[in-house]
Amino acid sequence: MTIYPARSLVILTGLPGAGKTTLLRRLYDLDGTESAPVTVGAVTVIDSQQSRSRWAGGPRWAPKPVRTGLVFATHVWRIRNGVRAGGPVIAHNRGCGPVVLRAFAWLARRHGAQLHLLLLDAPPEVALAGQYARGRVAAPTTFTRHQRHWRALLVRVRAGDPTPARSARVLDRADADRLEVIRFGDHRGLAVPGG
């Protein structure tokens, strides 16, 4: 059992379509209509879908890259606010490149927290099918870039190097389906059957 300290930022990452939002919805009883972070017990749960929902009505005049940037900035700002508030935060983030992860590590340290990674590993074809199922498909060049960053991160983590995080745990889809609870604090942790 992995124990996350109470002052932790856990980033749930993986390829687009891997099932990160589905996992958060199941674990924290979200219904997908949320447009702001949700507090469950002491844990702040932040899904990028919440920021997309927040900006769903506009600004329609802006080109897609501007709208995408606005959603991402809102998502990161919410993660920052959650960590700054002092409680544990679990946040979905599809970006797993080194610059993004170093930024999250810096953010956590700045506010007296630790960064931990929870990696949801789904094969690219399964992730792509997940994108089609949800009706939002990443551009081929974007998906290829995500796959490159993802493979590099998995290689490092499986070799025992979670840098820049304090810890990293890889879950396949079967592990994710069996996951029942993510808890924070001295006497609670991440319960994964067989883990």
Side-chain angles (χ1 to χ4, degrees), residues 107-129:
L107 176 68
R109 284 194 309 272
R110 178 177 170 85
H111 297 290
Q114 297 178 1
L115 174 66
H116 299 272
L117 299 177
L118 189 56
L119 290 79
L120 182 51
D121 187 22
E125 61 275 13
V126 171
L128 192 57

Side-chain angles (χ1 to χ4, degrees), residues 37-75:
V38 174
T39 301
V40 179
V43 181
T44 301
V45 183
I46 305 174
D47 186 359
S48 57
Q49 180 60 46
Q50 297 162 349
S51 294
R52 279 191 290 277
S53 296
R54 161 64 181 86
W55 292 107
R60 296 186 184 279
W61 52 265
K64 187 175 188 319
V66 172
R67 295 194 307 269
T68 300
L70 184 59
V71 167
F72 180 70
T74 301
H75 180 58

Side-chain angles (χ1 to χ4, degrees), residues 3 8 22 37 50 52-53 59 62-63 70 73 86 89 95 97 100 127 131 145 154 158 173 175-176 182:
I3 298 175
S8 292
T22 300
Q50 297 162 349
R52 279 191 290 277
S53 296
L70 184 59
V89 174
V100 172
Q131 293 176 46
R145 185 179 68 249
L154 279 179
R158 287 181 169 148
R173 292 287 290 261
D175 292 332
I182 298 172

Side-chain angles (χ1 to χ4, degrees), residues 142-183:
T142 301
F143 191 53
T144 298
R145 185 179 68 249
H146 280 297
Q147 289 182 74
R148 188 173 63 250
H149 289 314
W150 180 247
R151 283 192 299 266
L153 179 60
L154 279 179
V155 167
R156 283 196 302 102
V157 167
R158 287 181 169 148
D161 179 11
T163 308
R166 286 286 186 95
S167 73
R169 179 87 181 251
V170 180
L171 303 177
D172 62 21
R173 292 287 290 261
D175 292 332
D177 289 343
R178 291 190 300 267
L179 182 62
E180 295 181 2
V181 65
I182 298 172
R183 293 184 181 159

